[in-house]
Amino acid sequence: MAHFSILPHPMTRQPAVISSRMIGAFLAGGLLFAAAWITPDETLRIIFAVTAAALLISAITVWLTFLSSSWHQRIKLSEISKFVEHDATASFVSDEDGTVRYLNYAGKRTFPAKIGQPLSHAFNEVFANPSNVMHGLQIRALRKGAAREDVVTRKGHMRLAVHRLGGNGFLWRFEDIWEPHKASKGSDGLSLPMVICNANGAVLFSNEALRRLLGERVKSIHTIATEEQLEEGGLIELQTQSGALNCELVVIKGLGGRQEVYFVPPRESDFSADKYDHLDDLPVSILLLDKSFSVKFANSSARKLLKTESSLVGIEAAGFLEGINRPLEDWLFQGGATFREPRDELLKMRASDQEIFVHATVLQKGADLMMVLNDVTELKTLEAQFVQSQKMQAIGQLAGGIAHDFNNLLTAISGHCDLLLLRHDHNDPSYADLEQISQNANRAASLVGQLLAFSRKQTMQMQPMDLKDVFSDLTHLLNRLVGEKVSLRFGYDPEIKPVFADKRQLEQVMMNLVVNAKEAMPDGGEISIETTGATLRNGMRKGRVTIPPADYCVIKVTDNGVGIPTDNIDKVFDPFFTDKPIGEGTGLGLATVYGIVKQTGGYILIDSAVGQGTCFTLYLPVASEETVDRFTVQPKALEKPSPADEGVVLLVEDEDSVRAFASRALRLRGYTVLEAEDAERAKAILDDDSLSVDVFVSDVIMPGANGPTWVREALAKRPNVKVIFVSGYTEEELSKEGEMVPNSVFLPKPFSLNDLTSTVHRQLH
């Protein structure tokens, strides 16, 4: 069966020219014969006849020559076709214009060439610029008879050869130097994926294994690997049709920047997933990192700790972990090649919805780094809480010290103001000014009381009380505080038990919470105050607060205001923290509430959502029946003592202004006052055995010996003397000095003239 075609016309432009000239000769000869026939001149007739005969003979000779040449050309083409028809090399015959006149079976099978079409079209998909390459070869073949050139195709090196035929025909042969496209040999037969690329990274060839793996042909090697990875022969994660595949690059460089790149599995000496299967079920979180600090293996504990289901392979460690004191890369790079001994670092999870801290230990494992992670979030939280408590304790001590000094000053200010008021009646022009001084001193004393409440060092007058009675007395005041836009709603549990607290301080707590709720509702709303009983059998834990098992009275103050942002919830009880504009609010309101509640033995919780409102919940311990039974009701206030009173008072006070006021106040009431600025002076006065003293009025904290110390020594010789201790600190400071002094009472600063004289009178009578 023939697979070739023999053209019925000549192969070049010459036959067409010959044909046109031959026809012209026949026509000219015919015209000359006609002219000879009709001309009367005998001479002209002979000339025309001879010329016509010559033209006809010439045309017939040319025609016979053409037929002979065409026959020989057809015979030569037939012989060539028989020679190359079954050749394994693709062969083509073209004319001088490059038009296909013949192609063998291999050419038909390999290239999309057709008879009558330009041969260069068949090579457009094989190599670059086929028209220019073939034109150059054809010119060389016209000069030398044959030419050849090696061209680079996407499948490797191929050789294009051309031979000049008789006339202007050309025989083209497309020979394989290296045949990677055949499955029986070469790279396409390899199961190992590979590509051939030039110096610019353009892919000249990718074998069948890689095409099948990726599901497509790649045009540039840089879509698979970076230049650095090609230089180093590094590890990459190849994205295949079935998922990510870890491969190691083997790069073989050739001439002219040509590279052969092979994709091989990681060597067992460096890493194998099977090699570390025994680590996957360990309860310890383990990561393996390569030299670029990318994850090569992460066991199940590490994935659980990092809250991910992915393998993490190929992801840089800095993508999900960050250093606290320095960048992660700096720490790893510092010892990346010399981690012979384990090194530790505290790291933090990156882009986590909550703060998660991990303690990382790194050591070298062959060419890799092994990182062991431990979750230390709870320890870090405890550390932060401890630091916060230390800070709050320091602020509390500072507030207590400031309050002590202020109390001394306020005692002197308010005391001397009371002395001036005694010398002026209501009609005196200065009386109003003195009243203003007294009121502002009282306001300052209230602010100092807030500082003491925050530092939990204020004097508490604890007693059992029914919350219904407390709120009943407060209702009118609270309604005035909230104004007209805000309404109050109360809810009482009739079975609620008494609590053991300071009524004045508890009222302060409720007023602060209600005012805080009102300011959270600038457009008005409702504040709900509810009381219920709760018995916590197993205690309760909420956030950082742990409430022990006991019976509690629960007070809830709820508003529907703007709410508190999540970032601020942990800060609302901090002193001087406020979200109000500068100049509005002291930032001590909720800090005072927290201090009073804690000093009472209770707990306070907060729930809030922005735009939905806030609820403060107080857990106050219920007073035991024994406490209620043995509680002694405070005596009723005595009548104002008469100006004429008798007795000898030894006043010991290191603050000159306070001592001056107190001595004048007592003398105005008729007492004999002996003054001493410290304990040594007081003991020197008492060395006189003939001196009779009725009352000791002594400051607790003084330079040298403190109040309780020198009083105990004095009472050893004068056991019947009554004692009054005064202090800007709380009564707890007095108890720290040892057992309570018998026949003693405590008078906190700042005190007024009436407070001092009434206390002395009660002690004497």
Side-chain angles (χ1 to χ4, degrees):
M1 180 178 179
H3 296 287
F4 58 91
S5 301
I6 301 298
L7 300 178
H9 52 77
M11 292 176 56
T12 69
R13 293 180 180 178
Q14 189 177 0
V17 174
I18 293 175
S19 179
S20 63
R21 290 178 180 176
M22 186 174 59
I23 293 173
F26 277 117
L27 290 176
L31 291 174
L32 288 174
F33 272 119
W37 181 265
I38 64 175
T39 184
D41 190 340
E42 184 65 24
T43 302
L44 291 175
R45 184 182 297 116
I46 293 172
I47 292 173
F48 287 156
V50 172
T51 303
L55 288 173
L56 290 174
I57 292 171
S58 176
I60 292 171
T61 302
V62 170
W63 177 253
L64 290 175
T65 301
F66 167 73
L67 288 176
S68 176
S69 175
S70 176
W71 174 255
H72 286 290
Q73 193 81 346
R74 292 174 64 186
I75 291 174
K76 177 180 279 191
L77 186 60
S78 175
E79 291 175 353
I80 292 173
S81 65
K82 289 179 181 179
F83 178 75
V84 301
E85 173 60 24
H86 298 290
D87 192 348
T89 301
S91 302
F92 308 87
V93 176
S94 71
D95 58 22
E96 62 179 349
D97 291 334
T99 302
V100 177
R101 297 305 179 191
Y102 165 78
L103 67 164
N104 69 352
Y105 179 76
K108 291 180 180 179
R109 181 174 58 85
T110 308
F111 300 98
K114 294 182 180 180
I115 295 175
Q117 292 183 348
L119 179 59
S120 61
H121 289 182
F123 299 145
N124 280 337
E125 300 297 326
V126 180
F127 59 91
N129 298 322
S131 298
N132 293 340
V133 174
M134 295 178 68
H135 179 69
L137 286 172
Q138 189 169 300
I139 292 175
R140 288 158 55 191
L142 285 172
R143 292 199 311 264
K144 299 181 179 181
R148 67 181 182 180
E149 183 173 336
D150 294 344
V151 295
V152 178
T153 73
R154 62 182 179 83
K155 292 189 176 183
H157 280 186
M158 314 293 278
R159 177 169 293 165
L160 183 61
V162 57
H163 302 269
R164 182 181 177 183
L165 302 176
N168 289 327
F170 298 91
L171 173 64
W172 300 86
R173 290 170 59 81
F174 206 61
E175 303 172 352
D176 291 340
I177 298 175
W178 181 38
E179 302 182 57
H181 58 282
K182 293 185 178 181
S184 60
K185 61 179 180 177
S187 301
D188 240 2
L190 290 176
S191 60
L192 191 67
M194 64 86 62
V195 297
I196 300 174
C197 61
N198 62 17
N200 296 324
V203 173
L204 304 175
F205 166 73
S206 59
N207 71 348
E208 181 63 25
L210 183 64
R211 295 195 299 271
R212 186 169 59 250
L213 194 64
L214 300 180
E216 60 179 353
R217 296 181 184 271
V218 291
K219 296 182 179 179
S220 174
I221 187 62
H222 297 314
T223 61
I224 303 175
T226 64
E227 293 184 3
E228 292 78 7
Q229 290 170 330
L230 291 173
E231 289 295 330
E232 298 177 2
L235 290 171
I236 67 167
E237 187 178 70
L238 199 62
Q239 299 298 326
T240 70
Q241 295 187 87
S242 58
L245 177 66
N246 295 307
C247 295
E248 182 180 350
L249 299 182
V250 176
V251 182
I252 301 175
K253 296 184 181 294
L255 297 176
R258 176 190 175 97
Q259 300 181 96
E260 298 175 16
V261 183
Y262 296 86
F263 302 86
V264 299
R267 288 167 292 180
E268 178 68 22
S269 58
D270 288 336
F271 170 72
S272 171
D274 296 338
K275 182 179 179 181
Y276 297 104
D277 278 346
H278 62 284
L279 301 177
D280 197 54
D281 295 328
L282 290 179
V284 179
S285 301
I286 297 176
L287 296 177
L288 288 177
L289 308 179
D290 60 21
K291 59 184 176 182
S292 63
F293 310 134
S294 296
V295 177
K296 294 177 64 175
F297 172 77
N299 70 348
S300 58
S301 295
R303 297 193 298 271
K304 183 178 179 180
L305 174 63
L306 300 173
K307 301 184 183 302
T308 180
E309 298 296 331
S310 64
S311 66
L312 297 175
V313 174
I315 301 177
E316 292 186 0
F320 52 84
L321 292 174
E322 63 178 333
I324 296 178
N325 301 319
R326 54 180 169 172
L328 178 67
E329 295 89 342
D330 291 353
W331 172 56
L332 291 174
F333 184 76
Q334 179 186 9
T338 58
F339 269 135
R340 303 306 178 188
E341 297 295 332
R343 295 193 181 182
D344 302 327
E345 188 79 359
L346 185 64
L347 307 176
K348 180 181 178 183
M349 292 267 302
R350 187 186 293 274
S352 177
D353 55 353
Q354 59 181 350
E355 285 192 337
I356 298 179
F357 296 91
V358 293
H359 177 265
T361 302
V362 173
L363 66 156
Q364 199 153 1
K365 186 74 172 178
D368 304 327
L369 294 178
M370 178 178 285
M371 181 181 290
V372 180
L373 303 177
N374 290 303
D375 188 354
V376 294
T377 304
E378 187 172 352
L379 292 177
K380 190 68 177 176
T381 302
L382 290 175
E383 179 185 356
Q385 292 176 359
F386 176 74
V387 172
Q388 178 70 4
S389 66
Q390 292 291 94
K391 181 177 69 175
M392 298 296 285
Q393 182 179 359
I395 295 176
Q397 291 175 348
L398 175 64
I402 292 174
H404 171 262
D405 293 338
F406 266 99
N407 280 334
N408 279 330
L409 295 175
L410 291 173
T411 301
I413 293 171
S414 61
H416 285 94
C417 184
D418 289 343
L419 293 173
L420 289 173
L421 286 172
L422 291 176
R423 298 202 300 267
H424 296 74
D425 57 23
H426 292 78
N427 298 324
D428 193 300
S430 301
Y431 191 86
D433 295 334
L434 295 173
E435 281 286 347
Q436 283 293 324
I437 295 173
S438 179
Q439 291 176 9
N440 281 283
N442 291 333
R443 289 180 59 191
S446 177
L447 180 60
V448 173
Q450 288 186 334
L451 283 172
L452 287 170
F454 154 68
S455 62
R456 308 176 204 173
K457 292 184 177 181
Q458 79 274 34
T459 303
M460 303 285 283
Q461 298 178 1
M462 308 290 285
Q463 59 181 339
M465 63 185 67
D466 191 332
L467 290 180
K468 290 183 291 184
D469 296 336
V470 175
F471 292 146
S472 178
D473 296 338
L474 270 179
T475 300
H476 179 67
L477 177 59
L478 294 179
N479 279 315
R480 290 183 60 187
L481 286 174
V482 300
E484 297 179 355
K485 291 184 179 181
V486 178
S487 61
L488 277 173
R489 181 175 64 84
F490 292 90
Y492 301 114
D493 182 354
E495 302 298 328
I496 196 170
K497 297 179 180 179
V499 297
F500 192 62
D502 184 313
K503 182 178 180 181
R504 179 173 57 88
Q505 299 293 347
L506 186 56
E507 290 174 347
Q508 181 70 41
V509 167
M510 298 310 302
M511 286 190 291
N512 284 4
L513 291 178
V514 168
V515 169
N516 189 73
K518 172 205 169 185
E519 293 175 349
M521 299 184 294
D523 299 326
E526 182 183 78
I527 301 174
S528 172
I529 301 176
E530 299 179 351
T531 60
T532 58
T535 300
L536 303 181
R537 302 293 185 190
N538 301 315
M540 183 176 71
R541 180 179 177 84
K542 183 173 183 182
R544 300 178 180 178
V545 180
T546 301
I547 304 177
D551 292 331
Y552 293 93
C553 174
V554 182
I555 305 173
K556 290 187 177 182
V557 180
T558 309
D559 65 67
N560 51 9
V562 296
I564 303 173
T566 305
D567 295 340
N568 290 344
I569 287 183
D570 292 336
K571 304 175 184 177
V572 295
F573 296 123
D574 290 354
F576 312 115
F577 174 80
T578 179
D579 56 2
K580 298 176 184 176
I582 296 175
E584 297 183 18
T586 62
L588 287 174
L590 292 178
T592 300
V593 168
Y594 184 82
I596 294 173
V597 172
K598 294 302 291 182
Q599 194 170 3
T600 305
Y603 302 87
I604 183 167
L605 307 176
I606 180 172
D607 294 289
S608 184
V610 176
Q612 299 181 18
T614 304
C615 176
F616 287 92
T617 305
L618 282 68
Y619 285 81
L620 301 179
V622 171
S624 64
E625 295 182 1
E626 294 79 4
T627 301
V628 176
D629 292 340
R630 63 184 172 82
F631 185 79
T632 303
V633 179
Q634 293 291 336
K636 295 182 180 180
L638 299 175
E639 296 290 334
K640 183 177 179 180
S642 61
D645 211 340
E646 295 179 355
V648 178
V649 178
L650 176 57
L651 176 61
V652 185
E653 170 64 55
D654 62 304
E655 190 71 32
D656 294 340
S657 57
V658 176
R659 189 172 68 251
F661 148 67
S663 63
R664 288 184 58 188
L666 293 171
R667 287 190 179 101
L668 285 174
R669 294 303 185 189
Y671 296 107
T672 300
V673 180
L674 304 175
E675 297 183 37
E677 66 274 10
D678 54 30
E680 296 303 319
R681 177 58 182 164
K683 288 189 287 185
I685 293 174
L686 294 177
D687 285 341
D688 186 357
D689 295 335
S690 62
L691 180 63
S692 175
V693 178
D694 300 304
V695 179
F696 294 153
V697 178
S698 175
D699 195 4
V700 175
I701 305 299
M702 296 183 299
N706 57 41
T709 300
W710 80 263
V711 167
R712 289 192 185 94
E713 294 177 5
L715 289 179
K717 295 181 179 181
R718 301 171 184 265
N720 297 323
V721 179
K722 303 299 179 63
V723 181
I724 300 174
F725 288 111
V726 297
S727 179
Y729 292 109
T730 63
E731 193 171 3
E732 292 179 359
E733 298 297 326
L734 181 62
S735 63
K736 291 180 181 178
E737 303 302 330
E739 296 182 0
M740 291 296 295
V741 177
N743 299 322
S744 66
V745 296
F746 182 76
L747 178 63
K749 296 178 181 178
F751 50 78
S752 65
L753 185 149
N754 283 336
D755 291 336
L756 176 60
T757 55
S758 298
T759 304
V760 172
H761 181 82
R762 284 198 301 270
Q763 278 293 81
L764 288 175
H765 301 285

